[in-house]
Amino acid sequence: MAKSKNSTVFFCQNCGYESAKWLGQCPGCKQWNSFVEEPVSSSKTASKKNRIPGQEKKPALLSEISLQEEDRITTGMAELDRVLGGGIVEGSLTLVGGDPGIGKSTLLLQVCRNLALGGHEVLYISGEESLKQIKLRANRIGEFNEKLRLYCETSLEEIEEVIKRNKPKVVIIDSVQTMYREDISSAPGSVSQVREATSVLLQLAKGLNVSVFIVGHVTKEGTVAGPRVLEHMVDTVLYFEGDRNASYRILRGVKNRFGSTNEIGVFEMAQEGLREVPNPSEFMLSGKPLDASGSVVVCSMEGTRPILIEIQALVCQSNFGIPRRQCIGTDFNRVNLLMAVLEKRVGLQMANCDAYVNIAGGLKIQEPATDLGIVMAIVSSFKNRPIDNGVIAFGEVGLSGEVRAVSMVQSRVQEAKKLGFSTCIIPYVCLESVKEIKGIQIIGVKNVAEVMDLQM
Ligand code: TYD
Ligand code: MG
């Protein structure tokens, strides 16, 4: 349907849902009060834009397409390379999202530094900070060489010009929410502007074969359009997450056209920028109390990587009629379900107990393999009986109290062995797959009642 030239539409600033009239709640993402009125961009921009430049105009046979090993540029940071699937692909468009202040600019400036030291031409375009501010940040990070150029600009026409003139290998756009096109009348940061900016950058990346990183802020208030509205346009989406108060940061791949998703990279924010954490398990377990009840170590998979985490539980007598239940870092309903299983299948009387479950270190874990750990931590706290420090457990717990199989048992057990654990409690059905691993005691359990009978 052709819209008249000066009509307006309403966009959800969270997910980009488009509506002809204002809505209180977005039907797409269920956010409240996220609709903002924006003028419709003139239709001449839309149609021609969506073609990938440099491509043949006629359909091709799959067998005719020649494929050489894509050239990947290493970022100089193994954690980031892993999330990207082995390095930066030429001509790719990568979105780096995250809360303001989490460290996106820092990470990308460090990447710039490494790439420049590797002899690649890099252009860092900032619409948020002045050259002086970038210099201050750069001074904390370290020495830079001549291959990196900085440019403060928010007009897309100018940026396009500069990229075409300088032909860098890698371009950083910090951030997409500050970029604007003059011929679109809505404000920078609105859905139309952010989409248009990304589409211009996509053309540039594919057309000139430069790799482009764009930074996108995630905002809960919805004052600027979130990166969610661009996820479908870019090749790779990375989200930077982590507690602002904790020093570590996790970089998570949620979409990757050139590699696997679900990979994570772990970083630590230090005085001189972000530092890689090659062994997150050690990092997560540092500070674990010895011989304290209600604490147990579990192994969770983050992509292909096993990470050991401490689960803590505190169960105590409730002083009010309705017991309090609270969870940090794990699913509240899951914990309630597991407590109900314990009451019904093992006969623990916890109906008048408060219960608090915490994933130490501030990680958020949804994997069902942590069920067994949560159950053990709750029982340990309830009975005030510490679990041996050399024990690690994982397994999914079902409603009848059975301990069910989980994936990648071998790598989990290997990780536990590597970090010096002596006993591994795993689902009974998984015993077969790990019988070759020596040097660690492996106990298979069929249900939660069996776990309770173990002498630990
Ligand atoms: P920044 O990269 O500016 O965040 P974003 O671009 O995602 O908004 O990160 C800013 C935070 O990082 C700020 O709170 C200070 C901290 N920081 C350090 O702790 N050490 C450093 O060397 C740098 C550069 C920043
Ligand atoms: Mg920034």
Side-chain angles (χ1 to χ4, degrees):
M1 190 184 71
K3 295 189 179 96
S4 75
K5 207 164 181 197
N6 36 17
S7 68
T8 59
V9 283
F10 292 84
F11 282 111
C12 167
Q13 301 289 300
N14 188 46
C15 69
Y17 189 96
E18 196 178 323
S19 162
K21 47 184 206 312
W22 188 85
L23 298 172
Q25 188 188 25
C26 173
C29 65
K30 308 280 178 247
Q31 273 263 340
W32 287 94
N33 205 13
S34 60
F35 276 86
V36 171
E37 186 173 12
E38 286 179 21
V40 185
S41 54
S42 54
S43 55
K44 72 172 193 304
T45 50
S47 59
K48 226 177 80 201
K49 273 287 156 68
N50 291 330
R51 223 188 56 225
I52 299 175
Q55 301 291 313
E56 291 281 334
K57 276 190 197 148
K58 61 177 188 352
L61 277 177
L62 198 56
S63 55
E64 281 171 2
I65 305 167
S66 67
L67 195 68
Q68 56 270 55
E69 200 40 46
E70 324 120 50
D71 280 326
R72 296 224 185 214
I73 314 167
T74 168
T75 58
M77 296 175 116
E79 294 289 305
L80 178 57
D81 280 348
R82 185 195 6 256
V83 183
L84 287 171
I88 306 171
V89 176
E90 274 186 13
S92 65
L93 187 62
T94 306
L95 173 69
V96 180
D99 293 331
I102 194 108
K104 300 178 295 296
S105 307
T106 308
L107 176 76
L108 290 174
L109 197 59
Q110 282 179 277
V111 170
C112 284
R113 172 174 178 259
N114 295 343
L115 289 172
L117 290 179
H120 302 287
E121 293 283 344
V122 189
L123 180 62
Y124 184 101
I125 301 172
S126 178
E128 297 192 336
E129 290 164 308
S130 67
L131 290 173
K132 283 214 179 90
Q133 283 173 309
I134 302 174
K135 173 87 178 169
L136 279 177
R137 187 197 302 272
N139 280 346
R140 297 171 73 167
I141 292 173
E143 293 283 312
F144 282 75
N145 73 3
E146 301 293 298
K147 294 276 185 187
L148 172 66
R149 277 177 198 283
L150 303 170
Y151 186 50
C152 292
E153 184 55 68
T154 52
S155 158
L156 275 165
E157 281 86 359
E158 297 284 326
I159 288 170
E160 204 172 339
E161 191 96 330
V162 168
I163 294 178
K164 279 185 178 150
R165 194 161 358 107
N166 284 346
K167 295 217 170 52
K169 196 92 186 140
V170 178
V171 175
I172 317 279
I173 305 285
D174 189 3
S175 64
V176 69
Q177 280 119 347
T178 56
M179 303 299 158
Y180 74 98
R181 265 181 65 145
E182 269 152 35
D183 52 355
I184 298 181
S185 48
S186 51
S190 60
V191 172
S192 338
Q193 285 284 10
V194 164
R195 273 199 195 144
E196 192 56 35
T198 312
S199 118
V200 168
L201 293 166
L202 182 72
Q203 301 284 320
L204 282 173
K206 307 292 170 195
L208 302 174
N209 213 20
V210 289
S211 311
V212 180
F213 281 84
I214 50 185
V215 170
H217 293 294
V218 177
T219 55
K220 293 191 182 67
E221 298 78 31
T223 43
V224 288
R228 297 270 315 270
V229 300
L230 334 163
E231 272 179 7
H232 66 285
M233 298 170 83
V234 300
D235 296 315
T236 307
V237 180
L238 309 179
Y239 276 108
F240 219 177
E241 43 188 73
D243 201 341
R244 279 248 238 143
N245 305 317
S247 64
Y248 74 86
R249 305 276 189 268
I250 289 176
L251 190 66
R252 201 181 285 279
V254 291
K255 168 182 177 182
N256 194 348
R257 288 187 180 147
F258 315 109
S260 97
T261 50
N262 294 327
E263 286 296 349
I264 64 161
V266 185
F267 297 89
E268 190 187 357
M269 187 56 100
Q271 201 61 39
E272 64 294 331
L274 288 158
R275 201 185 293 143
E276 293 176 74
V277 179
N279 194 341
S281 297
E282 240 168 61
F283 191 73
M284 291 295 159
L285 293 184
S286 60
K288 178 184 178 314
L290 296 178
D291 301 320
S293 69
S295 156
V296 68
V297 178
V298 298
C299 187
S300 175
M301 298 302 293
E302 286 289 350
T304 54
R305 195 147 62 143
I307 294 189
L308 303 191
I309 323 154
E310 181 196 353
I311 293 185
Q312 299 180 323
L314 185 66
V315 181
C316 52
Q317 205 65 36
S318 177
N319 290 323
F320 300 102
I322 303 166
R324 262 173 86 90
R325 305 275 158 92
Q326 247 178 20
C327 301
I328 304 170
T330 184
D331 185 17
F332 174 77
N333 294 322
R334 189 96 205 153
V335 171
N336 273 337
L337 184 148
L338 292 172
M339 289 185 76
V341 168
L342 282 174
E343 291 214 13
K344 180 87 178 170
R345 307 291 170 192
V346 199
L348 291 187
Q349 293 303 317
M350 291 190 291
N352 54 353
C353 289
D354 291 344
Y356 306 90
V357 175
N358 177 31
I359 308 283
L363 264 186
K364 288 187 180 53
I365 305 287
Q366 298 287 353
E367 220 205 339
T370 53
D371 287 355
L372 192 57
I374 295 174
V375 164
M376 285 171 69
I378 290 173
V379 173
S380 160
S381 176
F382 181 71
K383 299 197 165 178
N384 209 8
R385 215 168 56 191
I387 295 170
D388 191 283
N389 294 317
V391 169
I392 173 173
F394 56 85
E396 182 181 343
V397 174
L399 283 189
S400 30
E402 81 277 21
V403 178
R404 310 170 70 104
V406 296
S407 60
M408 303 208 235
V409 185
Q410 282 187 347
S411 33
R412 292 182 208 249
V413 174
Q414 292 288 8
E415 177 77 3
K417 191 179 152 192
K418 200 170 89 193
L419 278 132
F421 284 84
S422 57
T423 310
C424 217
I425 301 175
I426 69 170
Y428 185 81
V429 282
C430 297
L431 269 183
E432 192 61 25
S433 56
V434 288
K435 62 178 192 290
E436 264 107 64
I437 303 176
K438 297 280 178 297
I440 182 166
Q441 187 194 6
I442 299 172
I443 304 171
V445 287
K446 286 185 184 139
N447 51 48
V448 261
E450 268 182 37
V451 188
M452 310 261 300
D453 294 338
L454 293 175
Q455 290 301 317
M456 283 178 297

